Amino acid sequence: MPAIRGQDSKKKTRRHTRDLDQIHADLHDEKHLAQFKDEKFIEDLPGLGQWYCKECAKWFESEANLGAHQKGKVHKRRVKQLREEPYSQKEAEAAIGLTTDNGKRTTAPMEVDDEVVAN
């Protein structure tokens, strides 16, 4: 059965890895990483889950493959991206103008037309 969006859409979703904000949370909180690793069955992982790259969220068959990956361009690019602090939800809302800054309240009384109020 052909893919709805073309043949390449199947490949892109299959190779999708964890997002940068998820990996950033893994690096700063060991509990978050342990929770991710516990979701996977050890028998289903490459190399029985012994060699894992935290920065790229990938499993490897052997220590040699992990070492070669860590010397590669893809890994180094990912490490460079992870050095930047990820945006928070508050920063994203402020960027599009959804801030809750109401400014200072004025204590001046509001002017009301007496004629409109009397009717």
Side-chain angles (χ1 to χ4, degrees), residues 45-48 50-53 56 58-75:
L45 297 173
L48 296 177
Q50 292 180 350
W51 297 282
Y52 179 72
C53 177
C56 299
K58 288 186 179 181
W59 305 92
F60 293 94
E61 289 285 331
S62 66
E63 189 174 4
N65 290 348
L66 176 62
H69 162 76
Q70 289 175 339
K71 292 178 185 177
K73 185 186 287 186
V74 175
H75 177 80

Side-chain angles (χ1 to χ4, degrees), residues 65-108:
N65 290 348
L66 176 62
H69 162 76
Q70 289 175 339
K71 292 178 185 177
K73 185 186 287 186
V74 175
H75 177 80
K76 290 178 182 177
R77 189 181 320 135
R78 179 59 67 101
V79 170
K80 188 176 180 180
Q81 289 172 342
L82 287 171
R83 286 191 186 124
E84 297 176 11
E85 193 71 26
Y87 291 111
S88 66
Q89 184 65 31
K90 190 174 184 178
E91 290 173 330
E93 290 173 356
I96 61 170
L98 293 177
T99 59
T100 57
D101 183 22
N102 296 328
K104 289 189 174 185
R105 291 190 117 181
T106 59
T107 56

